[in-house]
Amino acid sequence: MRLSLSGEHTGDEYTLEDAIGKGSGDGGLPRGKLLNDFVEAVCAGDAARTATVRQEIIKGMGEAAMVDAAAVIAAFNCYPRVADATGIPLEEAKAAATEAMRTELGLDELDSRFFGRGERI
Amino acid sequence: MIDTSPLTVRDDLKSALTQAWSEVARTGDWLSGEQRLAIANEARNAWQCKLCQRRKEALSPYAIKGDHDHLGALPNAWVEAVHRIVTDSGRITESWYASTIAAGITEDEFIELLSLVTIVTGADTFMGAVGLPPLMLPATGEQGAPPRRRPGGAKMGPGWTPTVAPEDAGPELGDFYETGPAAYIRRALTLVPGEANRFWPLLNQLYLGNPLRVELEGVERAISRAQMEFIATRTSAYLDCFY
């Protein structure tokens, strides 16, 4: 499944299966594999691997791109924690708009909050 | 440290990080400067906790009992809240939240703790990712008592904590709802207006002030919108969050 807010306008899409770890890894994006490696290294707390990938990003995309990629990883270490700890659900309109995508990717099996306030593992 | 680093960081991001960090050990809305400093230190310590590591590896974290490895500056219920948010937020349940409140943390204190823990985790993640040392915390917190006043208009929902909806917002929230989308996630911290106004200026610079925008016109970023979305989705998945 290819999906992107921006892709609807520019054709610059990415593969959502890759983004949730079910695909081959590059998302079909320029430097997607490199960015995926950066996410994995940072989120795993692997300082050595992070340093290696960081240098590859700087070399291939520039220092500013590395900083902005790091900033997005940091941001998404924040949003989920706030959503998870407060039980904030997906808005009904967003849930309806993404129903087919969630079914295809099996997301509802992973997060019962899409259906309400059910208890998870 | 971010100011003196040779790394080129956008001025708006540098400024937001510096501002957010300067507030960490200041007197909050519900917590003292010393309490906030203790929470910030505990948030960093949580990554070394063996109980949290065992829980993270377990099918259910709720089946694993034991004591946290902690710094001794916070009550047990507070340590549990900090550690769970840091190390396993994706499996937090409404029952866990209820037990946290029943153990003596008020709803308002919980929201301030959550925001603070998240800011520290986000800042540490950024600094580690770009290869800079963690920002330093002061040795002592600001002296003074927090006002501990709940804003008018706070009601339960849309999650399991009270929030202030845009239509109920009073002067305590200032222009909060005029400066960004009124998505549920943005409402999450509004029970503590000062904290909402500390958290979002940082997040607006780490990601986007308006995540609903489809293109980046007028927003200075060195990666494309699609690349940002890909990183965002991949990172959320890593935390077991599909919000």
Side-chain angles (χ1 to χ4, degrees):
Chain A
M1 173 173 287
R2 297 180 70 75
L3 180 78
S4 171
L5 278 172
S6 53
E8 293 169 9
H9 298 260
T10 66
D12 192 8
E13 300 176 334
Y14 65 89
T15 308
L16 196 56
E17 286 91 341
D18 285 337
I20 68 164
K22 289 186 171 181
S24 59
D26 70 358
L29 279 174
R31 310 284 185 182
K33 176 69 166 60
L34 201 50
L35 294 172
N36 184 56
D37 288 349
F38 198 37
V39 171
E40 293 203 346
V42 172
C43 290
D46 187 334
R49 188 173 165 212
T50 297
T52 301
V53 182
R54 182 191 308 126
Q55 290 309 314
E56 290 175 9
I57 293 178
I58 291 172
K59 186 177 175 186
M61 302 172 70
E63 186 176 83
M66 185 278 290
V67 169
D68 282 337
V72 177
I73 296 170
F76 281 83
N77 267 271
C78 296
Y79 293 118
R81 285 185 164 86
V82 168
D84 287 333
T86 57
I88 288 289
L90 200 61
E91 287 88 341
E92 288 177 14
K94 287 181 188 169
T98 59
E99 187 175 1
M101 175 196 75
R102 286 182 286 108
T103 300
E104 185 173 333
L105 295 175
L107 298 185
D108 289 334
E109 296 165 20
L110 300 170
D111 192 338
S112 59
R113 244 183 306 133
F114 283 113
F115 293 121
R117 292 190 181 183
E119 290 292 287
R120 291 174 292 161
I121 288 174
Chain B
M1 184 63 77
I2 191 89
D3 281 333
T4 56
S5 162
L7 191 70
T8 305
V9 178
R10 280 184 277 118
D11 286 343
D12 49 12
L13 175 54
K14 195 185 299 184
S15 173
L17 264 172
T18 303
Q19 178 61 34
W21 204 254
S22 75
E23 302 271 358
V24 166
R26 291 213 181 122
T27 305
D29 288 27
W30 287 82
L31 304 175
S32 70
E34 286 297 330
Q35 285 175 305
R36 288 172 60 88
L37 179 59
I39 289 167
N41 279 313
E42 196 61 59
R44 286 180 160 174
N45 178 61
W47 295 110
Q48 277 73 52
C49 176
K50 291 184 177 60
L51 174 62
C52 289
Q53 289 165 12
R54 289 205 311 275
R55 284 179 168 174
K56 188 71 178 171
E57 292 163 2
L59 183 61
S60 169
Y62 301 97
I64 309 298
K65 307 299 180 192
D67 297 319
H68 289 286
D69 300 317
H70 62 92
L71 300 173
L74 293 169
N76 288 343
W78 294 62
V79 171
E80 163 65 17
V82 172
H83 282 219
R84 182 60 64 89
I85 292 165
V86 171
T87 63
D88 203 5
S89 64
R91 294 193 289 180
I92 285 176
T93 64
E94 187 172 8
S95 297
W96 175 88
Y97 172 74
S99 70
T100 301
I101 300 305
I105 303 178
T106 70
E107 294 167 322
D108 317 76
E109 289 168 339
F110 179 81
I111 293 297
E112 186 162 332
L113 176 152
L114 168 63
S115 171
L116 186 54
V117 165
T118 306
I119 287 171
V120 170
T121 303
D124 284 352
T125 300
F126 175 77
M127 297 299 279
V130 299
L132 293 175
L135 296 166
M136 288 183 63
L137 287 166
T140 57
E142 184 182 39
Q143 297 300 303
R148 298 177 69 85
R149 278 194 300 270
R150 181 175 281 203
K155 295 174 186 166
M156 187 58 72
W160 50 60
T161 63
T163 64
V164 180
E167 61 271 23
D168 297 323
E172 302 95 335
L173 276 158
D175 63 354
F176 179 75
Y177 280 121
E178 281 79 58
T179 57
Y184 281 168
I185 184 66
R186 218 161 165 272
R187 270 173 65 175
L189 304 175
T190 51
L191 184 63
V192 184
E195 210 51 49
N197 283 312
R198 281 184 276 273
F199 180 86
W200 287 102
L202 174 60
L203 269 290
N204 291 347
Q205 297 307 324
L206 287 172
Y207 188 50
L208 292 168
N210 181 5
L212 298 178
R213 69 167 55 243
V214 294
E215 296 301 340
L216 291 175
E217 291 98 342
V219 178
E220 182 195 349
R221 297 291 186 272
I223 54 177
S224 72
R225 184 72 177 89
Q227 287 171 320
M228 293 177 74
E229 285 178 44
F230 178 73
I231 294 169
T233 309
R234 191 75 195 93
T235 306
S236 293
Y238 207 93
L239 290 179
D240 297 327
C241 179
F242 295 89
Y243 179 82

